Amino acid sequence: MAQRNIVLIGFMGTGKTEVGMRLAERLKYRFVDTDRWIEERMGRTISEIFGTEGEAFFREVESGIVAEAAALTGVVISTGGGVVSRPENLRRLKAAGFLVCLRAEPETILQRISGETHRPLLQVPDPLQEIKRLLIIREEGYSSSDLTIDTTVLAVDRVVEKVLCHYLGSQSCQEAL
Ligand code: S3P
């Protein structure tokens, strides 16, 4: 029988890619990162796409890739932080598997992404303010997941264990959480 996918949503800098890769390794599933898929398909980086065609175009491409990813089985899917801004994406991802939202405090997010230049939406004079603003707008989408984990003070390994416990539903794991 085909395994139920794991889908990771959450804001930038919450650990989706790192956690997703480790989960895929543990479960022997294929790892799919929608941002990387977009870059491969377009032959350009996310920053270049934002810079030349703009965010609306990026969201169109993202929705197409989300539809393709959601049709796969036996995969761990890591998504871009803004994927929840379109209800159709969320519907597809929810139907595609076990939906996990990773969270972190705005200050922690800022700390994690500071020094990085590949996230065009945060290349603004006051990124902390922008993080808080986007978190509010996206709250409804993020809160519709099957499981939410705050990664602010958790090491990646602990986050992976928590996801696995809930996903696999093991009794002994539940007790360890
Ligand atoms: C975005 C998050 C990014 C990427 C793009 C837009 C967002 O992905 O999709 O820069 O709108 O939050 P990560 O969450 O993987 O950084």
Side-chain angles (χ1 to χ4, degrees), residues 89-130:
N89 292 342
L90 207 49
R91 260 199 313 277
R92 284 201 169 107
L93 292 170
K94 237 175 149 30
F98 184 58
L99 192 63
V100 180
C101 180
L102 301 185
R103 289 182 183 271
E105 291 300 323
E107 290 75 11
T108 304
I109 290 171
L110 180 63
Q111 219 174 20
R112 288 179 185 168
I113 58 116
S114 66
E116 294 181 350
T117 52
H118 67 275
R119 292 185 167 104
L121 288 182
L122 299 180
Q123 305 306 308
V124 292
D126 190 345
L128 182 61
Q129 222 21 63
E130 185 60 4

Side-chain angles (χ1 to χ4, degrees), residues 28-46:
K28 307 265 182 293
Y29 287 5
R30 178 178 156 201
F31 175 64
V32 173
D33 184 310
T34 57
D35 279 345
R36 294 298 80 74
W37 199 344
I38 292 167
E39 291 186 330
E40 280 165 29
R41 181 71 54 87
M42 304 303 293
R44 272 168 293 158
T45 65
I46 303 284

Side-chain angles (χ1 to χ4, degrees), residues 8-19:
L8 297 166
I9 61 170
F11 203 78
M12 296 173 254
T14 53
K16 293 165 296 189
T17 302
E18 181 90 22
V19 169

